[in-house]
Amino acid sequence: MGKFNLFPEQASTFAPEVDHLLYFLLAVATFFTVVIFFAIFYFAIKYRRRSASELPPAGHTGYTLEILWTVIPFGLTMVMFTWGASVFFNQSRPPADSIQIYAVGKQWMWKLEHREGLREINELHVPVGRPVRITMTSEDVIHSFFIPDFRTKQDVVPGKYSTVWFNASKTGKYHLFCAEYCGTNHSAMIGWVYVMEPADYETWLSGGAAEGSLADNGKTLFESLACSNCHKTDNTGRCPNLVGVFGSTVKLATGNTVKADEAYVRESILDPMAKVVAGYEPVMPTFQGLVTEDQILQLIEYVRSIGPKPTPGAAPVSPAPAEKQASPGTAPAKR
Ligand code: CUA
């Protein structure tokens, strides 16, 4: 520390993209500010009224000038729009092979959970050079997950899931903030992101899975909440068999369809009447108030684990396959 930086470090693949766009916007804004500032002075002096009787001649600005000052700003703003949209789309589309991590915000801390079972508070460990997707929700009010060095920020809203992804480009320790005023200790809702070499990350991951993976805990919960009494795996239950459902398109009683993603599983647990599967009676009770956000994430991971097997290169279901996922050019993760 002690060094004054105008910009945060560029520690993700987004950082240069966002910064280049910002430099462009600043350059355009500065250019026009300077030009207009001096033009005001120049014209004020050049066309000042020289006598009380002086009247300006009636005239019309040339069309060339009017067309120019319409077309040029239009072109510039369209460049800003398409450039900004492409950065935005890139940031909103996590690659399919991203590492999946969950975050739950609550007053006033960040809880981060890895699928392998590791839980962290106000700390997040990720490997360098791998896309990481974070599915987030809040237990109370709106928070905002902000890592300035990665140029990534996303609101974390109670009652729904939001997603961020990033690909950290440098190992190191980076600030994690809450960027939405969320009460008295909002300013203390901060943490650190540790970007590690893939091999170190694997070592770290394997160091603390004593509590079992999210999917394993979800399976235990699925049985203890008696979900398995109705959601039987041999299709004889009163509720749909959940094997192979995650990620698929589900037909509903209303004739509509829905993609079985995290949000759908969450809704089905808390509000089972919202989207009843075609061919089934609306008999499931709500689990609102009976399961925490953490437990819902475990159930989602369980449903994901019995879903279709991931295609090669997709995010691993269990910790084991993660070892061969180190991206080309980085240190091999095999031990
Ligand atoms: Cu959470 Cu501010």
Side-chain angles (χ1 to χ4, degrees), residues 17-72:
E17 288 179 24
V18 172
D19 289 357
H20 292 158
L21 176 60
L22 181 65
Y23 297 149
F24 174 72
L25 297 178
L26 281 174
V28 171
T30 309
F31 174 78
F32 281 102
T33 306
V34 170
V35 167
I36 291 168
F37 182 85
F38 284 105
I40 288 171
F41 278 95
Y42 175 74
F43 289 136
I45 293 163
K46 182 168 187 213
Y47 297 108
R48 71 185 183 277
R49 207 172 191 193
R50 284 155 213 267
S51 72
S53 60
E54 185 179 337
L55 288 174
H60 189 273
T61 322
Y63 281 116
T64 322
L65 197 58
E66 278 200 31
I67 289 168
L68 278 181
W69 76 41
T70 307
V71 169
I72 292 174

Side-chain angles (χ1 to χ4, degrees), residues 222 230-232 235 237-243 245 264 277-278 280:
F222 193 76
C230 296
H231 291 285
K232 292 189 197 294
N235 295 317
R238 293 195 297 155
C239 302
N241 177 1
L242 298 181
V243 173
V245 164
Y264 173 65
V277 177
Y280 288 88

Side-chain angles (χ1 to χ4, degrees), residues 144-219:
S144 183
F145 189 89
F146 181 31
I147 308 171
D149 295 327
F150 292 178
R151 308 291 187 278
T152 187
K153 177 158 79 173
Q154 178 67 49
D155 276 7
V156 178
V157 181
K160 64 170 281 191
Y161 289 129
S162 48
T163 308
V164 282
W165 81 275
F166 54 79
N167 188 335
S169 54
K170 260 190 216 172
T171 55
K173 184 181 169 190
Y174 305 101
H175 255 305
L176 163 66
F177 291 110
C178 175
E180 181 70 52
Y181 180 68
C182 54
T184 313
N185 286 334
H186 156 71
S187 62
M189 193 167 161
I190 53 178
W192 293 100
V193 180
Y194 296 90
V195 178
M196 311 166 89
E197 291 295 343
D200 297 340
Y201 175 71
E202 295 301 335
T203 311
W204 178 85
L205 257 193
S206 58
E211 291 180 66
S213 70
L214 285 184
D216 289 344
N217 291 331
K219 184 174 197 291

